[in-house]
């Protein structure tokens, strides 16, 4: 011990700043916002950072909003047939004619037949300029089957045509039909997932919460269903739908079939979460205070992994959309006059379509976009689902 | 495995009994539609022969008993025993599915390693993008497009699974060669969707392993990068690779049914579809049963493989809580 410190024992550092007991506790407004944010808010912020997922979310939101007003968005009505323009190729939209600006228009086409292949040939005629009309009255339709209207976002000129994606074998506009098909194709996944969600959460929850023999029974059933290949089973079940059913009934039949087989993955996830969570102290506390199993499951356990559930549900929607497409393509799913992307693709079934009328395959583009978007969004949600994990 | 198969057989039986009516009512309607007289005594005879008036569970036991003895029932559409109708289809299905699995493994293994070791490189992004496209593209349409372009670009018809002259011929070496020549297209089509998932899984697993401390230690000790990669991390990430066959196999079998219909391959797919459409239920049931058997046995084999590959996996006892 040195003399030096002994002499100045009572001398020590004193901070001249006034003492503020909340100094360390105080948060910047930004931090405070972050710390006080609810879990869902955190998830939302996380998701926004995931650029691809966020873009996908916007695309999907636009598509799902669009299905409310398909009649307005489509230039033609669903079943409008233009017998003069069968298998018409897609028409481009032009802005300038002979260097002069005329606004968006399409060229009229002259019809001839290729005498060698007997294929209809449509040649654009620069003399026929058909200016597009906006917010115009066109084909009459019944909005959601409720009231009659004829307002469209865009229509062709009075005697002109507007086949953005060509026409099919009956001269129906592909673009309009794809827009109409979105209503069925996009919702079939949602309804199907609703069925599978209810089944999955219910069965998985019961299995995970009660455990024991209930659990092992459920596990066996899941194993059996998972080991069956999906598409053959879907095929068999939809072949069992009576032919006499109305299109609407068939639609619900198909969604239920899709959901009936899909719930297993969700049930598994729910079960394993429950097995872990039911041992937590708060679950025990709830049980001790006399909460019923129903209440514990619904109020205490489910909210805990709701975000994970949403992520995994998002990831299984594209599977359903593809499933419907495949079934309809095989002729076992939806049938005309119901229009879905799968039904549209059914027309592109032969090699002829690929070789001569490739635009008949265009309904696959929205299918790919939607499936990709759901996949990216699901990935993003899965990353964001646990916002407390850094 | 046995209880699973039993439950599957019950399920399949229920499914094939679901459509209203049975094949005889369909058959009678068909005959009536053609204006032919239906002999009631013949119908009664057939009903009795196939036990169609028995309670369902007895019908099930008849069917299941027949299955166990290799008697797949009777195809009403073809008026032949199912075994004869099916012919080589089951074998060709197995060949197709097996090659597809092999293709998925062979392709996704090196690609998965590549994209894990070069994370966030252009190659990684490109492969991921391709993989996602393969995932999102409906199989059947890809098959159609491939059929067309193979015809245009290579001038070969890749529909079917062998050259036409071999279709009814017996087995011979040229026939086998012809099958192999035709096999690539459906394998490619069915494989694409599974490959994407597999690559992503291998990449994720390998990335997890590569971030662990023992890898850092090994690298710090100056082990060559190749050895660091192959000695432990790769082996660790192989586990899910093998066990994942449980997910891949049903998917591949599903895909092969669909693609077979489009490419008119002589496998179970097209016949299953037509059997379902004409309510030829025993034929459909046999196919469903066969496809399920294929996946169940495949999973069983993958379990065995896994146990052999990873000594830590115990077959007896339960997991400790």
């Amino acid at each position: 011990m040195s003399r030096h410190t002994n002499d100045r024992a009572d001398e020590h550092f004193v901070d001249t700043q006034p003492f503020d007991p909340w100094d360390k506790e105080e948060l910047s407004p930004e931090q405070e916002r972050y710390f006080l944010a609810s879990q869902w808010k955190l998830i939302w912020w996380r998701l926004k950072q995931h650029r691809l997922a966020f873009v996908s979310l916007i695309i999907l939101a636009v598509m799902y909003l669009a299905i409310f007003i398909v009649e307005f968005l489509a230039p033609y009505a669903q079943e409008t047939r233009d017998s003069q323009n069968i298998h018409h190729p897609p028409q481009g939209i032009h802005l300038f004619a002979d260097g002069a600006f005329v606004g968006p228009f399409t060229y009229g086409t002259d019809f001839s037949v290729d005498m060698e292949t007997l294929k209809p040939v449509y040649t654009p005629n620069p003399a026929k300029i058909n200016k597009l009309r906006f917010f115009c009255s066109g084909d009459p339709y019944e909005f959601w089957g409720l009231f009659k209207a004829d307002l469209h976002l865009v229509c062709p000129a009075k005697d002109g045509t507007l086949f953005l994606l060509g026409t099919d074998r009956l001269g129906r506009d592909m673009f309009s039909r794809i827009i109409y098909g979105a209503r069925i194709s996009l919702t079939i996944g949602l309804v199907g997932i609703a069925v599978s969600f209810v089944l999955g959460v219910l069965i998985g929850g019961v299995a995970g919460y009660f455990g024991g023999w209930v659990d092992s029974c459920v596990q066996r059933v899941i194993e059996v269903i998972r080991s069956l290949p999906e598409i053959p089973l879907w095929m068999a079940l939809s072949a069992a739908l009576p032919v006499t059913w109305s299109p609407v009934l068939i639609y619900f039949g198909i969604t239920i079939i899709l959901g009936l087989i899909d719930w297993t993955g969700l049930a598994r996830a729910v079960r394993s979460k429950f097995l872990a969570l039911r041992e937590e102290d708060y679950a025990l506390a709830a049980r001790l205070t006399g909460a019923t199993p129903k209440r514990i499951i619904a109020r205490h356990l489910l909210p805990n992994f709701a975000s994970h559930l949403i992520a995994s549900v998002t990831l299984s929607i594209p599977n359903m959309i593809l499933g419907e497409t495949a079934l309809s393509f095989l002729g076992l799913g939806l049938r005309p006059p119901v229009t879905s992307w799968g039904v549209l693709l059914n027309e592109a079934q032969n090699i002829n379509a690929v070789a001569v009328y490739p635009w008949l395959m265009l309904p696959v583009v929205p299918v790919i976009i939607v499936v990709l978007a759901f996949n990216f969004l699901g990935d993003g949600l899965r990353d964001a689902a646990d916002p407390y994990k850094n | 495995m046995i209880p699973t198969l039993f439950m599957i057989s019950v399920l399949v039986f229920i499914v094939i009994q679901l459509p209203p009516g049975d094949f005889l009512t369909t058959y009678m309607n068909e005959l009536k539609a053609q204006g032919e007289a239906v002999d009631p005594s013949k119908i009664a005879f057939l009903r009795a022969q196939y036990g169609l008036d028995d309670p369902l569970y007895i019908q099930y036991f008849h069917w299941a008993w027949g299955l166990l003895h290799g008697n797949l029932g009777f195809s009403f559409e073809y008026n032949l025993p199912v075994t004869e109708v099916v012919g080589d289809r089951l074998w060709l299905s197995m060949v197709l599915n097996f090659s597809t699995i092999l293709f998925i493994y062979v392709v996704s293994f090196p690609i998965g390693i590549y994209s894990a070791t070069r994370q966030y490189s252009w190659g990684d992004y490109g492969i991921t993008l391709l993989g996602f496209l393969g995932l999102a593209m409906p199989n059947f349409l890809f098959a159609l497009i491939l059929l067309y372009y193979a015809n245009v670009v290579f001038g070969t018809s890749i529909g079917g699974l062998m050259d036409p002259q071999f279709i009814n011929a017996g087995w011979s070496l040229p026939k086998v060669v012809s099958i192999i020549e035709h096999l690539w297209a459906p394998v490619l089509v069915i494989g694409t969707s599974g490959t994407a998932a597999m690559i992503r899984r291998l990449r994720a697993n390998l990335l997890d392993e590569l971030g662990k401390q023992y890898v850092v230690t090994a690298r710090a000790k100056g082990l060559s990068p190749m050895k660091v990669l192959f000695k432990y991390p790769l082996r660790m990430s192989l586990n899910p690779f093998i066990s994942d066959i449980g997910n891949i196999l049903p998917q591949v079998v599903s895909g092969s049914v669909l693609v077979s219909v489009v490419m008119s391959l002589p496998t179970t797919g097209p016949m299953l579809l037509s059997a379902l459409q004409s309510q030829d239920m025993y034929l459909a049931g046999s196919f469903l049963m066969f496809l399920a058997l294929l996946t169940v046995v495949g999973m069983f084999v993958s379990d065995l493989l896994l146990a052999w590959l990873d000594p830590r996996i115990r077959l007896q006892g339960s997991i400790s809580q």
Side-chain angles (χ1 to χ4, degrees), chain A residues 224 226-231 236-237 329-330 332 348-349 355 364 372 376 379, chain B residues 8 11 15 18 132 138 140-141 144 148 200 247 254 258 262 273 292 295:
Chain A
V224 167
R226 278 182 85 90
S227 63
L228 281 168
E230 264 180 358
I231 287 186
L237 287 174
F329 178 79
L330 290 178
L332 290 173
Q349 212 173 22
V364 80
L372 282 181
F376 291 140
D379 267 356
Chain B
I8 288 177
L11 203 67
V15 166
L18 270 182
F132 267 119
F140 53 88
L141 210 77
L144 263 181
Y148 173 65
R200 283 183 71 72
N247 288 328
S254 278
L258 206 55
V262 176
L273 182 66
T295 51

mmCIF file of all heavy atoms in Angstrom, chain A residues 224 226-231 236-237 329-330 332 348-349 355 364 372 376 379, chain B residues 8 11 15 18 132 138 140-141 144 148 200 247 254 258 262 273 292 295:
data_model
loop_
_atom_site.group_PDB
_atom_site.id
_atom_site.type_symbol
_atom_site.label_atom_id
_atom_site.label_comp_id
_atom_site.label_asym_id
_atom_site.label_seq_id
_atom_site.Cartn_x
_atom_site.Cartn_y
_atom_site.Cartn_z
ATOM 1 N N VAL A 224 -50.763 -41.694 -41.922
ATOM 2 C CA VAL A 224 -51.411 -42.371 -43.047
ATOM 3 C C VAL A 224 -51.727 -41.377 -44.150
ATOM 4 O O VAL A 224 -51.421 -41.598 -45.322
ATOM 5 C CB VAL A 224 -52.695 -43.072 -42.575
ATOM 6 C CG1 VAL A 224 -53.522 -43.497 -43.763
ATOM 7 C CG2 VAL A 224 -52.352 -44.255 -41.714
ATOM 8 N N ARG A 226 -50.466 -38.472 -44.747
ATOM 9 C CA ARG A 226 -49.268 -37.893 -45.366
ATOM 10 C C ARG A 226 -48.579 -38.853 -46.305
ATOM 11 O O ARG A 226 -47.881 -38.440 -47.222
ATOM 12 C CB ARG A 226 -48.290 -37.435 -44.291
ATOM 13 C CG ARG A 226 -48.628 -36.090 -43.727
ATOM 14 C CD ARG A 226 -47.608 -35.700 -42.718
ATOM 15 N NE ARG A 226 -46.455 -35.066 -43.342
ATOM 16 C CZ ARG A 226 -46.374 -33.755 -43.544
ATOM 17 N NH1 ARG A 226 -47.351 -32.985 -43.185
ATOM 18 N NH2 ARG A 226 -45.308 -33.229 -44.084
ATOM 19 N N SER A 227 -48.724 -40.131 -46.057
ATOM 20 C CA SER A 227 -48.014 -41.068 -46.926
ATOM 21 C C SER A 227 -48.801 -41.335 -48.203
ATOM 22 O O SER A 227 -48.290 -41.976 -49.109
ATOM 23 C CB SER A 227 -47.727 -42.366 -46.189
ATOM 24 O OG SER A 227 -48.918 -42.990 -45.845
ATOM 25 N N LEU A 228 -50.027 -40.832 -48.267
ATOM 26 C CA LEU A 228 -50.762 -40.971 -49.519
ATOM 27 C C LEU A 228 -50.398 -39.816 -50.426
ATOM 28 O O LEU A 228 -50.430 -38.670 -50.003
ATOM 29 C CB LEU A 228 -52.263 -40.943 -49.252
ATOM 30 C CG LEU A 228 -52.860 -42.239 -48.731
ATOM 31 C CD1 LEU A 228 -54.259 -41.989 -48.238
ATOM 32 C CD2 LEU A 228 -52.880 -43.276 -49.812
ATOM 33 N N PRO A 229 -50.058 -40.111 -51.678
ATOM 34 C CA PRO A 229 -49.767 -39.007 -52.594
ATOM 35 C C PRO A 229 -51.009 -38.150 -52.810
ATOM 36 O O PRO A 229 -52.105 -38.677 -53.008
ATOM 37 C CB PRO A 229 -49.344 -39.698 -53.877
ATOM 38 C CG PRO A 229 -49.499 -41.144 -53.665
ATOM 39 C CD PRO A 229 -49.880 -41.425 -52.272
ATOM 40 N N GLU A 230 -50.802 -36.829 -52.746
ATOM 41 C CA GLU A 230 -51.925 -35.898 -52.753
ATOM 42 C C GLU A 230 -52.784 -35.963 -54.010
ATOM 43 O O GLU A 230 -54.006 -36.102 -53.931
ATOM 44 C CB GLU A 230 -51.388 -34.473 -52.636
ATOM 45 C CG GLU A 230 -51.397 -33.943 -51.241
ATOM 46 C CD GLU A 230 -50.855 -32.529 -51.184
ATOM 47 O OE1 GLU A 230 -50.443 -31.994 -52.227
ATOM 48 O OE2 GLU A 230 -50.865 -31.959 -50.085
ATOM 49 N N ILE A 231 -52.127 -35.837 -55.156
ATOM 50 C CA ILE A 231 -52.913 -35.645 -56.373
ATOM 51 C C ILE A 231 -53.790 -36.852 -56.703
ATOM 52 O O ILE A 231 -54.974 -36.689 -56.993
ATOM 53 C CB ILE A 231 -51.991 -35.220 -57.538
ATOM 54 C CG1 ILE A 231 -51.563 -33.783 -57.287
ATOM 55 C CG2 ILE A 231 -52.690 -35.338 -58.867
ATOM 56 C CD1 ILE A 231 -50.772 -33.156 -58.371
ATOM 57 N N ALA A 236 -59.210 -38.974 -56.902
ATOM 58 C CA ALA A 236 -60.218 -39.968 -56.548
ATOM 59 C C ALA A 236 -61.406 -39.301 -55.877
ATOM 60 O O ALA A 236 -62.560 -39.595 -56.189
ATOM 61 C CB ALA A 236 -59.611 -41.019 -55.627
ATOM 62 N N LEU A 237 -61.108 -38.370 -54.966
ATOM 63 C CA LEU A 237 -62.205 -37.725 -54.244
ATOM 64 C C LEU A 237 -63.037 -36.847 -55.163
ATOM 65 O O LEU A 237 -64.262 -36.821 -55.069
ATOM 66 C CB LEU A 237 -61.650 -36.902 -53.078
ATOM 67 C CG LEU A 237 -61.157 -37.742 -51.905
ATOM 68 C CD1 LEU A 237 -60.502 -36.854 -50.867
ATOM 69 C CD2 LEU A 237 -62.292 -38.506 -51.273
ATOM 70 N N PHE A 329 -57.362 -28.935 -64.783
ATOM 71 C CA PHE A 329 -56.663 -29.263 -66.020
ATOM 72 C C PHE A 329 -57.005 -30.684 -66.451
ATOM 73 O O PHE A 329 -57.218 -30.965 -67.624
ATOM 74 C CB PHE A 329 -55.161 -29.117 -65.795
ATOM 75 C CG PHE A 329 -54.316 -29.466 -66.982
ATOM 76 C CD1 PHE A 329 -54.153 -28.574 -68.009
ATOM 77 C CD2 PHE A 329 -53.685 -30.692 -67.061
ATOM 78 C CE1 PHE A 329 -53.376 -28.889 -69.098
ATOM 79 C CE2 PHE A 329 -52.907 -31.012 -68.146
ATOM 80 C CZ PHE A 329 -52.756 -30.107 -69.172
ATOM 81 N N LEU A 330 -57.075 -31.599 -65.476
ATOM 82 C CA LEU A 330 -57.379 -32.988 -65.798
ATOM 83 C C LEU A 330 -58.863 -33.193 -66.077
ATOM 84 O O LEU A 330 -59.269 -34.264 -66.490
ATOM 85 C CB LEU A 330 -56.979 -33.889 -64.633
ATOM 86 C CG LEU A 330 -55.493 -34.049 -64.388
ATOM 87 C CD1 LEU A 330 -55.253 -34.910 -63.185
ATOM 88 C CD2 LEU A 330 -54.827 -34.659 -65.604
ATOM 89 N N LEU A 332 -61.120 -32.984 -63.720
ATOM 90 C CA LEU A 332 -61.761 -33.533 -62.530
ATOM 91 C C LEU A 332 -62.179 -32.441 -61.567
ATOM 92 O O LEU A 332 -62.873 -32.695 -60.601
ATOM 93 C CB LEU A 332 -60.813 -34.484 -61.803
ATOM 94 C CG LEU A 332 -60.519 -35.800 -62.489
ATOM 95 C CD1 LEU A 332 -59.436 -36.543 -61.748
ATOM 96 C CD2 LEU A 332 -61.775 -36.642 -62.556
ATOM 97 N N ALA A 348 -55.756 -25.438 -73.072
ATOM 98 C CA ALA A 348 -54.421 -25.460 -73.672
ATOM 99 C C ALA A 348 -53.809 -26.841 -73.519
ATOM 100 O O ALA A 348 -52.613 -26.992 -73.432
ATOM 101 C CB ALA A 348 -53.525 -24.420 -73.016
ATOM 102 N N GLN A 349 -54.680 -27.851 -73.472
ATOM 103 C CA GLN A 349 -54.197 -29.166 -73.080
ATOM 104 C C GLN A 349 -53.409 -29.868 -74.175
ATOM 105 O O GLN A 349 -52.576 -30.710 -73.890
ATOM 106 C CB GLN A 349 -55.383 -30.023 -72.675
ATOM 107 C CG GLN A 349 -55.046 -31.017 -71.614
ATOM 108 C CD GLN A 349 -56.295 -31.718 -71.145
ATOM 109 O OE1 GLN A 349 -57.294 -31.769 -71.848
ATOM 110 N NE2 GLN A 349 -56.242 -32.274 -69.972
ATOM 111 N N ALA A 355 -48.234 -25.126 -79.991
ATOM 112 C CA ALA A 355 -47.574 -24.855 -81.255
ATOM 113 C C ALA A 355 -48.217 -23.699 -82.000
ATOM 114 O O ALA A 355 -47.533 -22.830 -82.527
ATOM 115 C CB ALA A 355 -47.600 -26.114 -82.122
ATOM 116 N N VAL A 364 -51.218 -19.350 -67.198
ATOM 117 C CA VAL A 364 -50.219 -19.872 -66.278
ATOM 118 C C VAL A 364 -49.415 -18.742 -65.644
ATOM 119 O O VAL A 364 -48.884 -18.890 -64.550
ATOM 120 C CB VAL A 364 -49.289 -20.868 -66.999
ATOM 121 C CG1 VAL A 364 -48.233 -20.161 -67.793
ATOM 122 C CG2 VAL A 364 -48.667 -21.819 -66.012
ATOM 123 N N LEU A 372 -45.520 -17.682 -56.549
ATOM 124 C CA LEU A 372 -44.262 -17.085 -56.106
ATOM 125 C C LEU A 372 -44.504 -16.076 -54.988
ATOM 126 O O LEU A 372 -43.818 -16.078 -53.966
ATOM 127 C CB LEU A 372 -43.555 -16.394 -57.267
ATOM 128 C CG LEU A 372 -42.810 -17.297 -58.242
ATOM 129 C CD1 LEU A 372 -42.135 -16.468 -59.310
ATOM 130 C CD2 LEU A 372 -41.775 -18.133 -57.514
ATOM 131 N N PHE A 376 -42.875 -16.134 -51.269
ATOM 132 C CA PHE A 376 -42.002 -15.097 -50.724
ATOM 133 C C PHE A 376 -42.610 -14.488 -49.468
ATOM 134 O O PHE A 376 -41.933 -14.287 -48.462
ATOM 135 C CB PHE A 376 -41.750 -14.003 -51.760
ATOM 136 C CG PHE A 376 -40.910 -14.463 -52.922
ATOM 137 C CD1 PHE A 376 -41.181 -14.068 -54.214
ATOM 138 C CD2 PHE A 376 -39.836 -15.315 -52.704
ATOM 139 C CE1 PHE A 376 -40.404 -14.512 -55.275
ATOM 140 C CE2 PHE A 376 -39.058 -15.757 -53.754
ATOM 141 C CZ PHE A 376 -39.344 -15.356 -55.041
ATOM 142 N N ASP A 379 -42.243 -16.840 -46.624
ATOM 143 C CA ASP A 379 -40.865 -16.819 -46.125
ATOM 144 C C ASP A 379 -40.636 -15.621 -45.225
ATOM 145 O O ASP A 379 -40.081 -15.726 -44.138
ATOM 146 C CB ASP A 379 -39.883 -16.763 -47.301
ATOM 147 C CG ASP A 379 -39.448 -18.157 -47.719
ATOM 148 O OD1 ASP A 379 -39.862 -19.120 -47.031
ATOM 149 O OD2 ASP A 379 -38.722 -18.281 -48.710
ATOM 150 N N ILE B 8 -54.386 -47.440 -44.598
ATOM 151 C CA ILE B 8 -54.445 -46.886 -45.949
ATOM 152 C C ILE B 8 -55.427 -47.681 -46.796
ATOM 153 O O ILE B 8 -56.232 -47.123 -47.542
ATOM 154 C CB ILE B 8 -53.040 -46.894 -46.586
ATOM 155 C CG1 ILE B 8 -52.185 -45.829 -45.933
ATOM 156 C CG2 ILE B 8 -53.126 -46.652 -48.072
ATOM 157 C CD1 ILE B 8 -50.784 -45.795 -46.438
ATOM 158 N N LEU B 11 -58.862 -46.678 -46.018
ATOM 159 C CA LEU B 11 -59.121 -45.362 -46.591
ATOM 160 C C LEU B 11 -59.381 -45.455 -48.094
ATOM 161 O O LEU B 11 -60.333 -44.868 -48.617
ATOM 162 C CB LEU B 11 -57.915 -44.466 -46.315
ATOM 163 C CG LEU B 11 -58.167 -42.984 -46.326
ATOM 164 C CD1 LEU B 11 -59.045 -42.604 -45.165
ATOM 165 C CD2 LEU B 11 -56.864 -42.221 -46.264
ATOM 166 N N VAL B 15 -62.669 -44.537 -50.242
ATOM 167 C CA VAL B 15 -62.648 -43.592 -51.357
ATOM 168 C C VAL B 15 -63.260 -44.213 -52.606
ATOM 169 O O VAL B 15 -64.050 -43.582 -53.300
ATOM 170 C CB VAL B 15 -61.198 -43.128 -51.620
ATOM 171 C CG1 VAL B 15 -61.107 -42.426 -52.952
ATOM 172 C CG2 VAL B 15 -60.739 -42.214 -50.514
ATOM 173 N N LEU B 18 -66.990 -44.273 -52.597
ATOM 174 C CA LEU B 18 -67.689 -42.993 -52.454
ATOM 175 C C LEU B 18 -68.653 -42.651 -53.587
ATOM 176 O O LEU B 18 -69.754 -42.192 -53.323
ATOM 177 C CB LEU B 18 -66.670 -41.855 -52.304
ATOM 178 C CG LEU B 18 -66.245 -41.526 -50.887
ATOM 179 C CD1 LEU B 18 -65.274 -40.354 -50.922
ATOM 180 C CD2 LEU B 18 -67.442 -41.158 -50.026
ATOM 181 N N PHE B 132 -37.312 -21.481 -57.538
ATOM 182 C CA PHE B 132 -38.655 -20.988 -57.255
ATOM 183 C C PHE B 132 -39.540 -21.094 -58.489
ATOM 184 O O PHE B 132 -40.716 -21.422 -58.394
ATOM 185 C CB PHE B 132 -38.607 -19.542 -56.770
ATOM 186 C CG PHE B 132 -38.547 -19.438 -55.288
ATOM 187 C CD1 PHE B 132 -37.484 -18.844 -54.651
ATOM 188 C CD2 PHE B 132 -39.569 -19.967 -54.517
ATOM 189 C CE1 PHE B 132 -37.430 -18.764 -53.273
ATOM 190 C CE2 PHE B 132 -39.537 -19.888 -53.143
ATOM 191 C CZ PHE B 132 -38.456 -19.284 -52.522
ATOM 192 N N PRO B 138 -46.689 -24.954 -62.968
ATOM 193 C CA PRO B 138 -47.426 -26.219 -62.882
ATOM 194 C C PRO B 138 -46.742 -27.283 -63.741
ATOM 195 O O PRO B 138 -46.392 -27.017 -64.892
ATOM 196 C CB PRO B 138 -48.796 -25.867 -63.444
ATOM 197 C CG PRO B 138 -48.910 -24.395 -63.340
ATOM 198 C CD PRO B 138 -47.521 -23.866 -63.470
ATOM 199 N N PHE B 140 -47.753 -29.872 -65.293
ATOM 200 C CA PHE B 140 -48.346 -30.353 -66.537
ATOM 201 C C PHE B 140 -48.041 -29.423 -67.690
ATOM 202 O O PHE B 140 -47.819 -29.848 -68.817
ATOM 203 C CB PHE B 140 -49.846 -30.559 -66.376
ATOM 204 C CG PHE B 140 -50.583 -29.369 -65.841
ATOM 205 C CD1 PHE B 140 -51.055 -28.406 -66.689
ATOM 206 C CD2 PHE B 140 -50.806 -29.231 -64.479
ATOM 207 C CE1 PHE B 140 -51.738 -27.312 -66.198
ATOM 208 C CE2 PHE B 140 -51.494 -28.147 -63.987
ATOM 209 C CZ PHE B 140 -51.953 -27.179 -64.844
ATOM 210 N N LEU B 141 -47.970 -28.122 -67.387
ATOM 211 C CA LEU B 141 -47.722 -27.187 -68.462
ATOM 212 C C LEU B 141 -46.276 -27.250 -68.918
ATOM 213 O O LEU B 141 -45.971 -27.178 -70.106
ATOM 214 C CB LEU B 141 -48.064 -25.778 -67.998
ATOM 215 C CG LEU B 141 -48.510 -24.967 -69.184
ATOM 216 C CD1 LEU B 141 -49.911 -25.337 -69.554
ATOM 217 C CD2 LEU B 141 -48.397 -23.515 -68.904
ATOM 218 N N LEU B 144 -45.991 -30.045 -71.242
ATOM 219 C CA LEU B 144 -46.485 -29.716 -72.582
ATOM 220 C C LEU B 144 -45.451 -28.933 -73.377
ATOM 221 O O LEU B 144 -45.168 -29.235 -74.534
ATOM 222 C CB LEU B 144 -47.738 -28.851 -72.456
ATOM 223 C CG LEU B 144 -49.094 -29.527 -72.540
ATOM 224 C CD1 LEU B 144 -50.176 -28.493 -72.409
ATOM 225 C CD2 LEU B 144 -49.213 -30.250 -73.855
ATOM 226 N N TYR B 148 -43.337 -29.967 -76.791
ATOM 227 C CA TYR B 148 -43.343 -29.215 -78.032
ATOM 228 C C TYR B 148 -41.920 -28.867 -78.471
ATOM 229 O O TYR B 148 -41.525 -29.099 -79.606
ATOM 230 C CB TYR B 148 -44.174 -27.952 -77.861
ATOM 231 C CG TYR B 148 -44.104 -27.034 -79.042
ATOM 232 C CD1 TYR B 148 -44.604 -27.429 -80.271
ATOM 233 C CD2 TYR B 148 -43.522 -25.785 -78.933
ATOM 234 C CE1 TYR B 148 -44.534 -26.609 -81.366
ATOM 235 C CE2 TYR B 148 -43.450 -24.953 -80.023
ATOM 236 C CZ TYR B 148 -43.960 -25.369 -81.241
ATOM 237 O OH TYR B 148 -43.874 -24.546 -82.321
ATOM 238 N N ARG B 200 -33.034 -25.916 -51.311
ATOM 239 C CA ARG B 200 -33.215 -24.939 -50.232
ATOM 240 C C ARG B 200 -32.965 -25.567 -48.866
ATOM 241 O O ARG B 200 -32.362 -24.963 -47.989
ATOM 242 C CB ARG B 200 -34.620 -24.353 -50.286
ATOM 243 C CG ARG B 200 -34.775 -23.322 -51.378
ATOM 244 C CD ARG B 200 -36.137 -22.709 -51.363
ATOM 245 N NE ARG B 200 -36.349 -21.829 -50.222
ATOM 246 C CZ ARG B 200 -35.780 -20.643 -50.091
ATOM 247 N NH1 ARG B 200 -34.956 -20.213 -51.015
ATOM 248 N NH2 ARG B 200 -36.039 -19.893 -49.057
ATOM 249 N N ASN B 247 -41.189 -36.483 -47.418
ATOM 250 C CA ASN B 247 -41.948 -35.402 -48.039
ATOM 251 C C ASN B 247 -41.888 -35.472 -49.549
ATOM 252 O O ASN B 247 -42.838 -35.180 -50.239
ATOM 253 C CB ASN B 247 -41.392 -34.041 -47.602
ATOM 254 C CG ASN B 247 -41.740 -33.745 -46.178
ATOM 255 O OD1 ASN B 247 -42.783 -34.159 -45.697
ATOM 256 N ND2 ASN B 247 -40.859 -33.057 -45.502
ATOM 257 N N SER B 254 -47.214 -37.967 -56.843
ATOM 258 C CA SER B 254 -48.290 -37.095 -57.310
ATOM 259 C C SER B 254 -47.955 -36.498 -58.660
ATOM 260 O O SER B 254 -48.740 -36.556 -59.600
ATOM 261 C CB SER B 254 -48.488 -35.936 -56.336
ATOM 262 O OG SER B 254 -49.263 -36.321 -55.257
ATOM 263 N N LEU B 258 -49.623 -36.854 -62.697
ATOM 264 C CA LEU B 258 -50.066 -35.736 -63.516
ATOM 265 C C LEU B 258 -49.304 -35.674 -64.842
ATOM 266 O O LEU B 258 -49.890 -35.550 -65.919
ATOM 267 C CB LEU B 258 -49.830 -34.455 -62.720
ATOM 268 C CG LEU B 258 -50.681 -33.270 -63.027
ATOM 269 C CD1 LEU B 258 -52.124 -33.662 -62.901
ATOM 270 C CD2 LEU B 258 -50.361 -32.169 -62.056
ATOM 271 N N VAL B 262 -50.270 -36.105 -69.079
ATOM 272 C CA VAL B 262 -49.987 -35.159 -70.153
ATOM 273 C C VAL B 262 -49.115 -35.788 -71.228
ATOM 274 O O VAL B 262 -49.357 -35.639 -72.425
ATOM 275 C CB VAL B 262 -49.302 -33.904 -69.583
ATOM 276 C CG1 VAL B 262 -48.929 -32.963 -70.703
ATOM 277 C CG2 VAL B 262 -50.208 -33.217 -68.602
ATOM 278 N N LEU B 273 -56.532 -42.160 -64.071
ATOM 279 C CA LEU B 273 -57.483 -41.111 -64.433
ATOM 280 C C LEU B 273 -58.696 -41.695 -65.142
ATOM 281 O O LEU B 273 -59.840 -41.418 -64.793
ATOM 282 C CB LEU B 273 -56.787 -40.075 -65.320
ATOM 283 C CG LEU B 273 -57.653 -38.902 -65.739
ATOM 284 C CD1 LEU B 273 -58.026 -38.074 -64.543
ATOM 285 C CD2 LEU B 273 -56.951 -38.048 -66.770
ATOM 286 N N ALA B 292 -49.768 -45.730 -52.851
ATOM 287 C CA ALA B 292 -49.545 -45.552 -51.423
ATOM 288 C C ALA B 292 -48.458 -46.500 -50.934
ATOM 289 O O ALA B 292 -47.580 -46.123 -50.155
ATOM 290 C CB ALA B 292 -50.842 -45.785 -50.661
ATOM 291 N N THR B 295 -45.042 -45.183 -51.660
ATOM 292 C CA THR B 295 -44.530 -44.153 -50.761
ATOM 293 C C THR B 295 -44.212 -44.726 -49.388
ATOM 294 O O THR B 295 -43.201 -44.380 -48.794
ATOM 295 C CB THR B 295 -45.541 -43.007 -50.602
ATOM 296 O OG1 THR B 295 -46.804 -43.564 -50.270
ATOM 297 C CG2 THR B 295 -45.654 -42.207 -51.848
#
